[in-house]
Amino acid sequence: MYEENLAEIISKPALYFSSPMEIVNSKQLQTSAKLIALNEWEFEVRQLDVATEENMTAIATTTLQDVHRAMRALGQEPGASNSPGGKAG
């Protein structure tokens, strides 16, 4: 894996990995990069959930449970720090 692509890969993990567990099993990423990628994926899933609540078309093939399972496999307990803002009012 090339260093110049690392930032892109961990910032948009769903484009590069078919599932959160694929990140966990990656031999090319260090644990810290895996956790960053999983946190990004969690944020994306939460954004899609908000979009769905607002009647926007959004299809998530990965669930929060999938991401959280992968985080736990790496020893990180999922938190609520990546929650995007919801509807105003």
Side-chain angles (χ1 to χ4, degrees), residues 57-70:
T57 304
I59 300 172
T61 58
T62 300
T63 65
L64 277 177
Q65 291 80 9
D66 297 331
V67 177
H68 290 171
R69 190 175 304 115

Side-chain angles (χ1 to χ4, degrees), residues 9-29:
I9 290 167
I10 63 176
S11 69
K12 298 177 184 175
L15 294 177
Y16 295 92
F17 298 96
S18 61
S19 73
M21 287 307 290
E22 188 177 350
I23 294 173
V24 172
N25 295 325
S26 173
K27 303 285 188 214
Q28 298 163 331
L29 294 176

Side-chain angles (χ1 to χ4, degrees), residues 3 20 25 30 42 76:
E3 197 64 34
N25 295 325
Q30 294 180 347
E42 178 185 27
Q76 178 178 323

